[in-house]
Amino acid sequence: MKTSTKTRQLTVLGLLTGILLLMAYTPLGYLNIGPLAISFNVIPVALAAITLGPAGGAAAGAVFGLTSFLQCIGVGGVSSMGVVLFGINPVLAFIQRFVPRLLDGLLLGYIFRGVKKASNARLSCFVTGFFSAFLNTLFFMTALVVLFGNTEYMQGLIGGKNIILFVCGFVGINAVCEMLSSTIITGAVGFALLKAGLVNRD
C-alpha cells in the first residue's frame, strides 16, 4: 500500500511538474503586461500543494522559481525586469526569483490542510488557489523591494512614491487577474482531483 501511494504521489508530481514546465516555456504560462507578467504557473504549484502536501508544493514551487530565474538569462523567454536585476546582482536575482516561489508552494500545503480541517476540502481548494497567487505576489514584491529597493533601477520605478502605494500600483491588475484565475481554476481542478481520489481526505 505504501509503495502504491508513493508511486501515485511521484506520478502526480511528475505530471504537475511537466505541466509547469510546459507553461513556463510556452505562452500558456505568462501574459506579459509591462515590466511584470500575469503568471498562471502558480496554479500547478497550488495543485501540487493540494495533492501532495507542503513537500509537494515546495518541490513544484522550486521548479517554478528556477524557470523564473532562467528567464533572467533568456532561457524559456525573457523577463525584462529579470535581465536588469541579473545585471545588478545575479545572486540576489536568483534569491528574489527562486525563494518566494519555494515558500509559496510550501505554505500552500499547510494552508490547504488547515482550511480543510476547519471547513471542507472543496472550500480549501478555492482558498489555496487564492493564496497561491496572493502569496506569490506578496513574497515576490517583498523580495524585490528588500533586495533591490536601494538600486538606481528600483528608485527610478518607485519615483519617490510611498512603498505601499508603489507596490499596489505596480502589481495592479496583474495581481487581481492572477488571484481570480488561480482561485477559480485551482478550486475547480482541485475538487475534481479530490473526487478522483488523488487528494488525501484525512
Side-chain angles (χ1 to χ4, degrees):
M1 189 68 175
K2 272 188 176 180
T3 304
S4 174
T5 301
K6 202 145 196 142
T7 301
R8 184 192 67 184
Q9 290 175 337
L10 288 172
T11 301
V12 171
L13 180 59
L15 179 62
L16 290 173
T17 299
I19 292 172
L20 182 52
L21 290 172
L22 176 66
M23 293 174 70
Y25 294 125
T26 67
L28 294 173
Y30 293 96
L31 179 60
N32 291 300
I33 300 177
L36 287 180
I38 296 173
S39 174
F40 303 109
N41 292 330
V42 294
I43 295 171
V45 175
L47 293 174
I50 288 170
T51 55
L52 304 170
V63 173
F64 178 22
L66 184 59
T67 61
S68 178
F69 171 71
L70 289 175
Q71 288 189 334
C72 297
I73 54 176
V75 178
V78 177
S79 165
S80 57
M81 173 183 282
V83 169
V84 175
L85 299 182
F86 185 86
I88 295 172
N89 190 315
V91 175
L92 292 183
F94 175 78
I95 293 172
Q96 190 267 332
R97 294 271 157 164
F98 181 80
V99 174
R101 276 61 191 259
L102 176 66
L103 287 177
D104 187 21
L106 178 68
L107 291 178
L108 290 176
Y110 290 110
I111 288 171
F112 176 76
R113 286 181 179 177
V115 176
K116 187 172 67 167
K117 283 181 181 178
S119 57
N120 59 72
R122 183 173 191 174
L123 176 63
S124 62
C125 290
F126 285 93
V127 172
T128 302
F130 169 80
F131 275 102
S132 67
F134 175 78
L135 292 178
N136 177 60
T137 300
L138 176 65
F139 293 157
F140 182 90
M141 291 304 297
T142 299
L144 178 64
V145 171
V146 170
L147 297 176
F148 293 97
N150 291 325
T151 64
E152 184 179 342
Y153 172 70
M154 282 300 298
Q155 287 299 312
L157 290 176
I158 294 171
K161 297 176 188 172
N162 174 280
I163 287 293
I164 303 293
L165 293 177
F166 160 71
V167 170
C168 291
F170 195 58
V171 298
I173 190 67
N174 299 48
V176 174
C177 289
E178 278 188 18
M179 290 174 204
L180 283 173
S181 61
S182 182
T183 300
I184 295 169
I185 297 173
T186 301
V189 176
F191 184 62
L193 293 174
L194 174 68
K195 294 201 74 169
L198 296 175
V199 177
N200 190 349
R201 293 174 180 266
D202 296 337

